[in-house]
Amino acid sequence: MFWLWLTLGIVVLTTANAEHPFWIQEIEELPDLSYSAVSRNTENVYRLPENVVPLNYDIYIDLYFAERQDRPFSYDGLEFITIQAREENVTNVILHSNVDQINSVSLLSENEQLFPLDTDEPFTLVPQYHFLRLNLQQALDLGSNYTLIINYTSTMNEGPMKRGLWRGWYIDDEGVERIYAGTHFQPYNARQAFPCWDEPLFKAVFKIHLSKPSSYSGTFSNTGVESTDILPNNRTQDNFLETPIMSSYLVTFLVSETFQVIASNTSLTPPVRIIGRSNTAGLGDHALDLTVKMTEHFNEYFQIPYHTLHPNLLNDHIASPDWASAATENWGMVSYRELYMIIDPRETIMSVEHYAATLVSHELAHKWFGNLITCFWWSNTWINEGFASYFGYMSAHQMFPKYDLHEHFNTRYIHNSLSFDSGQSTVPLNHDVNTPAQVTGHFGTISYSKGAAFLKMIEDMITYETFRKACQYFLLDNPYAATDQYDLYNAFARAIDEDGTLSEYSNFNFTDYYRIWVNEAGYPLLTVEVDYENGGMTLTQERFFLSPSTSSTGQIYPIPITYATESGPNFSNLKPSQMMTTQRLVIPKEAADEWVIFNLQQHGHYRVNYDRKTWNLISQALLDDPESIHYLNRAQIVNDVFALMRAQKLTYDVGFDILKFLSKEINYHVWNPAISGYTWLRNRLRYVSESQATFDSYILDYMSQVINVLGYDPDSNESVTTTLTRQEIMHFACNLGHEGCRQNSRNKFIEMRDNDAWVDPRIRRHVYIAGVRHGGQQDFEFLLNRFRNSNFANDQLEMLRGLGATRDPQLLTRYVELTLENAVRSQDKATSFNYALLGNPENANTVLQFVKNRINDIREAYVQDAPPNPVHTVLSNLASYLDEAGLVEYEEWLRSTQSGTPQFNSAISAINSARNNINWGRDNADMILSAVRGSASTVTLSSFLLTAILLFAFVF
Ligand SMILES: *[C@@H]1O[C@H](CO)[C@@H](O)[C@H](O)[C@H]1NC(C)=O
Ligand SMILES: *[C@@H]1O[C@H](CO)[C@@H](O)[C@H](O)[C@H]1NC(C)=O
Ligand SMILES: *[C@@H]1O[C@H](CO)[C@@H](O)[C@H](O)[C@H]1NC(C)=O
Ligand SMILES: [Zn+2]
């Protein structure tokens, strides 16, 4: 799955996981309360006992839409579950259920006799844990089959956000609004459609029977239809073929009137099909190309062809207008948010097309890593998600090299992980989760980004072929089973042992390496000191924390060491020269005045700091001969320098001195972390407006070269990465008030408005924004109208972003109120709210009035009880955009009207963080500006220098 959510702030604006074309951090990170608010005790009360297991489910669901007038959008269920006791003396059978009502429960023994249940209380519901418990009069026989029969009724959720079985909407090719039913069960929502053992380890065979009004002929599931029964009252029942043995969260279906196959390739077995609403017919070819090629790739890579997984599995890919995450890997039928499937180069922005390639690859990889083998419990989510994320980039690169995904892996995953994993609230890859909130929390940066980065680091160490062999062993040893970190370890150990690919490292123990990286949080900072007189380099390590006040932990991480020097500038040998397993290590080197750079292409999950002289040599080389240093290491330097400055491991003077080379830089990977770093500082200078303006003018100076080289108009044959560079640079430049960007974009917008001119989607983002930001009501109405009439979900989202940039409070109020309507889909609501905050600094005050006036409507429309709570996210984000007066007003309102609401504490704590940021900006503005000016002589005593001095005074 890809849960692209708005974790407090890390945007991932629609984001999941996912995540997505918006992974530049546009909104500040705040302390992630969703984690810390949940108690981390290891109580297992949410887990099912394993004394009884399901083997087989036969599930009949009768779906009713508006035609059932007494209970519209409801369903009746009847299921027959074959179960077995795995222990003696079992007198309770406990499974999950989260349906509205259980009408009856009975148990049959093998000879079809009723098995006696407690006469007073045959079953008990424990709603807190979603448990349904059968109370038996006597123990089950070990190893015998019993049939559990449950009759129940329930209601579809409105919209996709709460997952489970829900209803969505779309407009068909005749302009009619239609309702469809969909399911989204990952990770714990199958229990909402049918009572079941809803944990990944309880794998079973599922046979689904769906009845619905006969006009709902667009019905799809994991497998094909085996037979169809005509029922009375114009109803039809589709009986689907049985599934392979699999986890409950992978079951899915979609029931609609007019969804249809919009593209297919029948030369593969099973055929690959793209399915969508009827007016996307003909628009699925791009998605088809992605899915076909990635299927072929994985067939070859794993040496377990898809069609051998199970004869009944389909290879369908559904474009769903409503979908809570970016996509979900239901076996046989993957569901995607429609914007990633319906791609037209004349209408779709490049970052969406780029992301779609990795998304399809991610979901297809799950068919092996996740579906064939599955994490035993969500504590191991990273095994599913880490591999899918790794393959999402590395495998997609092999089939679609034009996207350079193997290099975008760094900004997408490594930078993300290095950022999150240096906070105090981070967790190890493998860690206990129990409650639904904890499970949801583990579908986050650590599982996806650190998981993927950890795997990439292993691949470099043990070689591509050994890594691939380990993957195959893992799959071959555990098919249709649930696995944990030890199974994965065994596969690696076996492949490494056979190939001897780690034998060159003396005193290196892979068991320790794996244990530490998987089970300990955080990562190291490597400090390099070069002895320029006598030769040799001394490496030391400590755990890296972003917060300067965090004290050291003494943890030692095994670090794969790679480096290049001015006289040996080989940046492509990614196999480590040695493994550092101690706190200190000396590497021999001849004495010479030359730069050294560690962590080639930033593939290792760690940061690097150097002694002052080495930084000077690097800094000089970056100015004199930047191409002598690989662009992914230039990117690393930018990414590390911003983090080191924040952590007070490097002064801003030295840091900005190193960053001077950006004035000549034109590479995407280097600019991406630079924009993140500048944005972090700009957000703190927001309320020291003169300083921010000065800071902005310096940034714009640094950007003038890259803006000139890129130009405002894309070339027909430019590289994808160039297009992405322009998109990010121009978006940032326009936001900073770059005059050329503003005028050029505004003119293009007017051409579109007045003459229906086509604007290349590769530049649409900033054209929409500048057009509305620097325009008036006419421009707003034009774009709103265009939004309402568009058939492209991806272009629509860009238009929302543009509309959110209006400076007119009345228009902005209309915009945010639009998010309460159907027109802005459930999964886009919180994102659209954020667009209003991102649009202009002064927008936050209008948004605050909207929040105060419409909080109850927001709670309902944004679905506050959806995981992860979108209302919690937007209320916290709002705080980071308000000025002091706004914060006072917001806090007063929260305290007088909202205390006791689920979002109260997190909003108050976001207000405190916002105040800290504002204060930090005030205290450090002069110091930062003087550092940017490069006038090291006029350093003002910043607050933190002052604090440091005071601390020393006390200590000594
Ligand atoms: C099951 O119950 C029987 C009879 O009370 C007892 O002898 C036996 O030890 C129990 N088995 C287990 C595994 O507890
Ligand atoms: C129990 O059910 C499973 C799955 O349906 C079946 O394979 C097995 O043969 C059954 N065992 C007995 C003893 O009937
Ligand atoms: C590696 O370390 C583990 C304990 O962490 C130990 O059990 C194992 O024997 C070591 N392997 C070798 C080859 O030294
Ligand atoms: Zn996934």
Side-chain angles (χ1 to χ4, degrees):
M1 132 166 99
F2 241 89
W3 270 20
L4 294 174
W5 58 34
L6 309 138
T7 350
L8 272 194
I10 294 189
V11 176
V12 198
L13 265 185
T14 295
T15 15
N17 65 33
E19 302 115 89
H20 204 277
F22 312 105
W23 26 265
I24 277 228
Q25 285 189 265
E26 293 179 286
I27 290 195
E28 271 301 308
E29 0 163 358
L30 295 169
D32 188 349
L33 297 159
S34 55
Y35 256 122
S36 47
V38 169
S39 89
R40 292 236 69 88
N41 61 29
T42 51
E43 52 178 357
N44 280 331
V45 290
Y46 285 86
R47 302 288 306 277
L48 294 177
E50 291 170 49
N51 56 3
V52 176
V53 297
L55 303 176
N56 242 302
Y57 292 82
D58 217 358
I59 306 170
Y60 292 78
I61 298 180
D62 302 329
L63 294 158
Y64 297 91
F65 293 84
E67 78 286 349
R68 186 188 234 185
Q69 282 159 14
D70 57 332
R71 287 198 303 118
F73 309 111
S74 61
Y75 50 98
D76 300 340
L78 174 64
E79 59 177 339
F80 302 83
I81 315 175
T82 309
I83 61 171
Q84 271 187 5
R86 287 289 153 90
E87 282 172 18
E88 286 181 46
N89 304 342
V90 171
T91 55
N92 283 312
V93 176
I94 304 180
L95 65 156
H96 285 117
S97 171
N98 191 20
V99 298
D100 290 350
Q101 189 172 330
I102 303 280
N103 300 322
S104 70
V105 174
S106 51
L107 191 61
L108 297 183
S109 54
E110 241 157 47
N111 52 9
E112 310 266 306
Q113 298 289 306
L114 270 181
F115 191 93
L117 304 181
D118 187 280
T119 41
D120 293 338
E121 194 178 346
F123 65 92
T124 310
L125 291 169
V126 192
Q128 186 188 352
Y129 306 125
H130 299 155
F131 284 169
L132 163 60
R133 190 179 69 222
L134 268 69
N135 305 313
L136 313 182
Q137 279 188 24
Q138 63 194 60
L140 294 175
D141 285 342
L142 203 59
S144 294
N145 286 356
Y146 295 88
T147 306
L148 172 57
I149 305 172
I150 305 175
N151 185 315
Y152 60 96
T153 54
S154 202
T155 327
M156 297 178 196
N157 286 327
E158 188 179 349
M161 299 304 283
K162 286 200 257 180
R163 300 179 170 78
L165 172 46
W166 46 270
R167 66 184 203 269
W169 66 276
Y170 63 97
I171 307 286
D172 73 2
D173 52 330
E174 283 161 6
V176 178
E177 181 176 322
R178 296 188 184 269
I179 304 293
Y180 69 109
T183 72
H184 187 163
F185 295 159
Q186 191 180 35
Y188 47 75
N189 297 81
R191 63 191 74 164
Q192 230 170 319
F194 49 88
C196 59
W197 275 256
D198 202 10
E199 290 184 13
L201 69 108
F202 295 105
K203 292 195 174 193
V205 171
F206 295 83
K207 196 161 188 332
I208 307 285
H209 312 260
L210 295 175
S211 88
K212 70 271 153 107
S214 298
S215 59
Y216 281 72
S217 54
T219 297
F220 305 90
S221 185
N222 308 80
T223 58
V225 173
E226 181 175 31
S227 65
T228 297
D229 301 324
I230 307 299
L231 308 178
N233 299 322
N234 279 326
R235 291 179 62 85
T236 305
Q237 175 171 301
D238 287 331
N239 307 300
F240 292 90
L241 292 159
E242 64 179 28
T243 69
I245 294 173
M246 66 184 204
S247 308
S248 53
Y249 76 88
L250 294 169
V251 173
T252 191
F253 50 83
L254 182 140
V255 177
S256 74
E257 288 157 297
T258 63
F259 271 61
Q260 59 191 59
V261 175
I262 58 168
S264 67
N265 180 323
T266 51
S267 68
L268 270 75
T269 311
V272 180
R273 308 191 300 175
I274 310 296
I275 293 160
R277 61 194 163 88
S278 51
N279 51 346
T280 58
L283 295 172
D285 290 347
H286 184 88
L288 185 66
D289 187 39
L290 295 175
T291 44
V292 166
K293 290 221 176 76
M294 291 321 302
T295 301
E296 288 170 342
H297 171 81
F298 289 121
N299 284 348
E300 160 67 23
Y301 182 92
F302 294 128
Q303 292 289 304
I304 306 174
Y306 185 72
H307 74 267
T308 64
L309 298 179
H310 194 271
N312 295 345
L313 273 182
L314 298 176
N315 195 349
D316 282 355
H317 301 263
I318 290 208
S320 185
D322 286 303
W323 197 258
S325 63
T328 307
E329 68 270 22
N330 302 315
W331 222 1
M333 174 182 137
V334 185
S335 289
Y336 302 80
R337 261 190 211 176
E338 189 188 284
L339 82 162
Y340 300 116
M341 287 280 103
I342 306 304
I343 286 178
D344 181 334
R346 289 189 57 82
E347 302 294 338
T348 302
I349 73 167
M350 183 55 82
S351 51
V352 168
E353 181 188 321
H354 191 248
Y355 184 76
T358 176
L359 184 64
V360 164
S361 180
H362 178 111
E363 302 306 334
L364 269 161
H366 269 316
K367 303 205 165 217
W368 289 263
F369 275 87
N371 301 3
L372 178 61
I373 55 109
T374 310
C375 56
F376 185 81
W377 171 243
W378 302 114
S379 303
N380 313 123
T381 306
W382 68 275
I383 296 181
N384 284 11
E385 298 306 341
F387 271 105
S389 299
Y390 166 89
F391 290 124
Y393 277 72
M394 298 309 156
S395 303
H397 168 62
Q398 297 191 11
M399 300 313 282
F400 298 95
K402 70 174 176 176
Y403 295 124
D404 290 331
L405 285 162
H406 62 314
E407 295 181 343
H408 286 267
F409 184 85
N410 286 31
T411 47
R412 175 69 178 82
Y413 285 132
I414 297 179
H415 291 185
N416 244 358
S417 179
L418 290 174
S419 167
F420 186 88
D421 202 24
S422 56
Q424 274 146 314
S425 63
T426 190
V427 291
L429 280 174
N430 218 87
H431 75 274
D432 284 338
V433 293
N434 285 298
T435 67
Q438 289 169 344
V439 169
T440 300
H442 204 22
F443 280 91
T445 307
I446 290 299
S447 294
Y448 290 80
S449 300
K450 192 177 186 183
F454 166 70
L455 293 170
K456 180 67 199 156
M457 198 158 66
I458 292 191
E459 187 222 293
D460 287 341
M461 278 162 55
I462 70 175
T463 76
Y464 177 86
E465 277 309 327
T466 304
F467 184 86
R468 177 179 175 187
K469 190 187 233 185
C471 290
Q472 292 172 357
Y473 284 155
F474 187 41
L475 295 171
L476 287 171
D477 289 348
N478 306 283
Y480 310 98
T483 61
D484 60 22
Q485 57 163 320
Y486 305 104
D487 300 310
L488 178 57
Y489 166 80
N490 288 338
F492 274 126
R494 184 174 152 205
I496 290 166
D497 192 47
E498 279 177 17
D499 293 0
T501 39
L502 291 178
S503 54
E504 66 212 77
Y505 307 116
S506 53
N507 297 324
F508 175 66
N509 184 323
F510 181 74
T511 315
D512 290 337
Y513 177 91
Y514 183 91
R515 176 180 52 77
I516 292 171
W517 281 103
V518 169
N519 294 291
E520 290 190 25
Y523 64 87
L525 169 66
L526 183 72
T527 302
V528 178
E529 284 182 57
V530 181
D531 187 334
Y532 286 93
E533 274 167 30
N534 308 312
M537 301 183 285
T538 304
L539 314 182
T540 51
Q541 63 158 299
E542 63 189 299
R543 178 166 169 190
F544 180 72
F545 289 102
L546 210 40
S547 159
S549 57
T550 310
S551 46
S552 91
T553 60
Q555 277 165 280
I556 304 289
Y557 299 86
I559 309 178
I561 299 293
T562 53
Y563 64 97
T565 64
E566 196 169 345
S567 56
N570 179 353
F571 283 87
S572 52
N573 182 8
L574 299 169
K575 182 134 171 77
S577 57
Q578 52 253 97
M579 298 298 307
M580 176 170 174
T581 54
T582 48
Q583 198 270 330
R584 187 171 175 279
L585 176 70
V586 178
I587 298 185
K589 178 185 184 312
E590 282 181 19
D593 274 6
E594 59 166 0
W595 53 257
V596 299
I597 289 180
F598 279 72
N599 197 7
L600 299 181
Q601 300 189 31
Q602 206 181 5
H603 277 200
H605 195 267
Y606 57 95
R607 296 199 185 279
V608 189
N609 199 357
Y610 302 91
D611 62 78
R612 187 62 201 271
K613 175 160 182 181
T614 305
W615 270 126
N616 284 344
L617 290 166
I618 292 172
S619 174
Q620 206 53 48
L622 287 168
L623 285 174
D624 296 345
D625 188 12
E627 294 301 321
S628 65
I629 296 170
H630 193 283
Y631 48 88
L632 290 180
N633 277 97
R634 302 205 298 275
Q636 169 218 21
I637 288 165
V638 171
N639 182 243
D640 281 351
V641 160
F642 273 107
L644 293 170
M645 292 192 298
R646 255 175 94 172
Q648 294 180 15
K649 300 279 184 197
L650 205 60
T651 67
Y652 281 84
D653 282 338
V654 174
F656 278 110
D657 194 55
I658 297 164
L659 296 175
K660 273 194 297 199
F661 81 97
L662 286 169
S663 61
K664 292 188 194 155
E665 183 63 63
I666 55 167
N667 186 281
Y668 174 90
H669 306 282
V670 189
W671 269 108
N672 178 295
I675 291 175
S676 297
Y678 286 140
T679 300
W680 188 86
L681 285 168
R682 283 189 80 239
N683 285 345
R684 274 152 189 76
L685 297 179
R686 193 181 295 128
Y687 301 109
V688 204
S689 45
E690 267 177 41
S691 306
Q692 198 198 38
T694 313
F695 188 61
D696 285 358
S697 66
Y698 279 103
I699 302 174
L700 286 172
D701 271 355
Y702 282 129
M703 290 170 70
S704 60
Q705 169 88 345
V706 66
I707 292 174
N708 283 341
V709 170
L710 290 168
Y712 295 115
D713 296 293
D715 273 352
S716 52
N717 54 1
E718 71 184 19
S719 74
V720 168
T721 298
T722 300
T723 300
L724 293 174
T725 317
R726 183 183 302 94
Q727 179 180 309
E728 290 194 9
I729 289 285
M730 291 303 173
H731 181 209
F732 192 54
C734 267
N735 283 349
L736 263 55
H738 185 270
E739 197 47 40
C741 181
R742 164 193 167 146
Q743 278 183 9
N744 189 284
S745 313
R746 175 79 186 137
N747 292 343
K748 290 192 162 91
F749 189 90
I750 293 171
E751 273 293 291
M752 173 176 59
R753 186 195 69 193
D754 294 348
N755 301 325
D756 204 19
W758 174 77
V759 175
D760 193 315
R762 291 176 291 179
I763 54 173
R764 272 187 200 177
R765 177 171 295 175
H766 56 274
V767 167
Y768 287 156
I769 290 175
V772 171
R773 178 183 287 152
H774 305 294
Q777 175 153 10
Q778 189 195 359
D779 302 287
F780 184 88
E781 303 290 356
F782 163 76
L783 197 61
L784 181 58
N785 194 42
R786 198 174 184 280
F787 163 79
R788 290 193 189 276
N789 292 318
S790 168
N791 192 31
F792 287 92
N794 34 53
D795 198 29
Q796 281 186 310
L797 202 57
E798 290 306 316
M799 289 189 265
L800 286 173
R801 196 194 265 270
L803 290 166
T806 178
R807 294 195 137 127
D808 178 330
Q810 270 178 321
L811 296 175
L812 189 68
T813 302
R814 270 178 64 199
Y815 168 77
V816 282
E817 293 200 330
L818 187 69
T819 67
L820 300 174
E821 291 171 23
N822 241 358
V824 176
R825 290 192 175 273
S826 308
Q827 69 265 13
D828 297 330
K829 288 180 189 293
T831 308
S832 305
F833 180 102
N834 287 332
Y835 289 159
L837 295 175
L838 291 165
N840 300 291
E842 65 270 24
N843 286 9
N845 274 308
T846 308
V847 176
L848 173 60
Q849 304 317 315
F850 166 68
V851 166
K852 286 170 65 176
N853 294 332
R854 305 296 299 271
I855 183 65
N856 291 331
D857 301 322
I858 293 173
R859 287 215 163 88
E860 194 182 327
Y862 290 32
V863 196
Q864 72 168 349
D865 42 359
N869 186 335
V871 181
H872 169 113
T873 307
V874 300
L875 292 189
S876 300
N877 285 347
L878 171 58
S880 33
Y881 283 78
L882 288 167
D883 56 12
E884 180 53 33
L887 289 173
V888 168
E889 183 183 343
Y890 190 27
E891 182 167 4
E892 215 170 85
W893 173 77
L894 284 166
R895 290 199 186 278
S896 60
T897 67
Q898 304 294 307
S899 64
T901 62
Q903 300 85 20
F904 178 74
N905 287 336
S906 58
I908 292 290
S909 119
I911 287 176
N912 293 334
S913 307
R915 289 214 166 96
N916 289 341
N917 291 344
I918 292 174
N919 292 338
W920 190 93
R922 229 174 247 134
D923 295 344
N924 293 282
D926 291 344
M927 180 273 295
I928 288 168
L929 285 183
S930 98
V932 176
R933 279 189 202 105
S935 49
S937 52
T938 60
V939 187
T940 359
L941 266 193
S942 75
S943 71
F944 75 69
L945 283 176
L946 212 55
T947 321
I949 288 167
L950 286 175
L951 277 177
F952 271 90
F954 282 118
V955 169
F956 295 108

